[in-house]
Structure formats: C-alpha cells, structure tokens
Amino acid sequence: MTNEIMNKTDIRKLLEDLLPLVDLDSDFLFSELDSLGVTTILMTLSAEYNITLDATDATPRNLRTLDSIVEMVQRKIAAAGR
C-alpha cells in the first residue's frame, strides 16, 4: 500500500484490528492509549506506509483523534516526497 493514497478508512481498519478495545471515535484518543497502544500505532503505520514514526511522534496532538493520526501520516508521506 506504500504508493497508494491512504485514507481514514484504511487507517481505521488497521487500528481496529490491532486495538479492538480502543474507541477510535474518541475526542481524545490519546487518553485511551497505554504505551503498548501508542507503540502499536506507530510501528503499524510506519510499516504500512513506509514512513518513519518514532517516540517524538507520540504526542497528544498527533494522537488526539483518528483525524489527527491521518494528518500525521499524510505529513510524513509528504515529507518523504511521495
């Protein structure tokens, strides 16, 4: 999927499968995540979209909502020149 345009639905599906107990529609998703959940999100999205996400990306701003996660991935893809 690296070269395909990603969208919110794709990311939702990925994360729902990995984090079934997390409410991805929460207005403050970050508060529902433990360190394993944050790590799972960063590692999964890094691998799926061939981008680099690390601990510096694990901020409440980036992980506040599903939309902010999508925006973070889009920024990283754009920064990689794809």
Side-chain angles (χ1 to χ4, degrees):
M1 178 172 286
T2 304
N3 294 323
E4 293 179 27
I5 296 173
M6 51 67 68
N7 64 44
K8 184 176 176 179
T9 304
D10 295 334
I11 289 179
R12 174 185 289 280
K13 180 67 176 142
L14 275 172
L15 299 183
E16 280 177 342
D17 291 346
L18 296 171
L19 303 167
L21 300 179
V22 174
D23 178 9
L24 295 176
D25 294 315
S26 172
D27 289 334
F28 197 60
L29 179 62
F30 188 78
S31 68
E32 296 198 23
L33 299 170
D34 59 12
S35 60
L36 181 58
V38 171
T39 301
T40 298
I41 289 172
L42 297 178
M43 290 179 60
T44 300
L45 296 177
S46 291
E48 183 70 17
Y49 296 105
N50 196 26
I51 55 177
T52 301
L53 295 170
D54 56 34
T56 61
D57 296 304
T59 65
R61 179 180 177 260
N62 286 337
L63 301 174
R64 182 175 180 87
T65 63
L66 186 57
D67 286 332
S68 63
I69 292 172
V70 171
E71 290 167 12
M72 174 183 63
V73 172
Q74 289 171 335
R75 282 193 311 273
K76 293 291 187 167
I77 290 171
R82 293 182 297 187

